[in-house]
Amino acid sequence: MICNLALMKGSGCSHTIFLLREVIDYFASHCSTVYMAALDARKAFDRVNHVKLFNLLLDNNVPARVVRVICDWYGKTTCVVRWRNWLSEDFGVNSGIRQGSILSPVLFNIYFDTLLCEMRRNGEGCYLGRHYVGCIAYADDLLCNLQSMLDVCHNVGSSLDIAFNSSK
């Protein structure tokens, strides 16, 4: 089950903004008060846990041979630190996904979708007709209905090593 609009074919930022506006207009026109919280995941791409990501890929029916290729690719990732003219020894990278890669947004959306599906399973948020719009996500930003949804964000986020930036 896909809970993340960004995972739906052909959708993008303009669709997310349109959906947010429609949800607010709908509930305001029916004399409901709309309370929202906007959350930004801190260093979201850098914090993706590889093992959890690979398991989520398998759970989402990504073919095992594709997951093995991604595991191999990420398992060989190394970095060095440059300070002035000096380079450190290379070291392995055990978390994070490559920013700028065309595959990274898809991997991140699958990772982050776990949180959105948990909110839906808990009955948090609202529906427009039969469509769940209780939590709207785009990249590492999340718009959701307040306290009980924030609790879900905290609990599931903690299990996935997603830390939300409380200063934004």
Side-chain angles (χ1 to χ4, degrees):
M1 168 193 310
I2 295 173
C3 299
N4 189 339
L5 179 64
L7 285 175
M8 294 178 184
K9 187 174 183 171
S11 67
C13 185
S14 60
H15 294 93
T16 306
I17 293 168
F18 174 77
L19 177 61
L20 173 63
R21 185 77 241 162
E22 287 298 305
V23 168
I24 292 169
D25 289 349
Y26 174 83
F27 286 100
S29 71
H30 288 83
C31 299
S32 292
T33 305
V34 178
Y35 296 101
M36 265 184 187
L39 302 176
D40 176 71
R42 185 180 310 139
K43 299 211 177 266
F45 275 49
D46 297 339
R47 298 178 63 96
V48 171
N49 180 297
H50 292 167
V51 173
K52 291 176 184 178
L53 172 64
F54 304 147
N55 286 326
L56 287 170
L57 291 172
L58 292 170
D59 292 346
N60 280 280
N61 300 316
V62 174
R65 66 176 61 129
V66 172
V67 176
R68 280 194 298 273
V69 168
I70 295 170
C71 286
D72 185 59
W73 188 34
Y74 275 98
K76 294 177 181 173
T77 303
T78 60
C79 285
V80 295
V81 175
R82 181 183 9 200
W83 185 69
R84 295 187 180 172
N85 292 329
W86 300 91
L87 293 177
S88 71
E89 295 290 323
D90 63 329
F91 56 93
V93 177
N94 300 317
S95 65
I97 51 179
R98 295 181 172 120
Q99 294 189 32
S101 165
I102 59 172
L103 182 59
S104 292
V106 174
L107 295 175
F108 182 76
N109 282 336
I110 291 169
Y111 194 76
F112 204 67
D113 198 51
T114 304
L115 186 139
L116 303 178
C117 287
E118 183 65 21
M119 283 199 205
R120 185 177 187 176
R121 270 191 294 278
N122 285 347
E124 303 296 345
C126 59
Y127 287 80
L128 282 180
R130 294 180 295 146
H131 300 283
Y132 175 72
V133 290
C135 188
I136 299 170
Y138 191 77
D140 64 345
D141 296 311
L142 188 66
L143 290 168
C144 60
N145 197 348
L146 291 173
Q147 189 60 54
S148 58
M149 294 180 87
L150 292 174
D151 293 340
V152 171
C153 288
H154 173 75
N155 295 335
V156 175
S158 295
S159 75
L160 291 175
D161 300 322
I162 297 171
F164 290 101
N165 190 348
S166 61
S167 64
K168 284 191 173 185

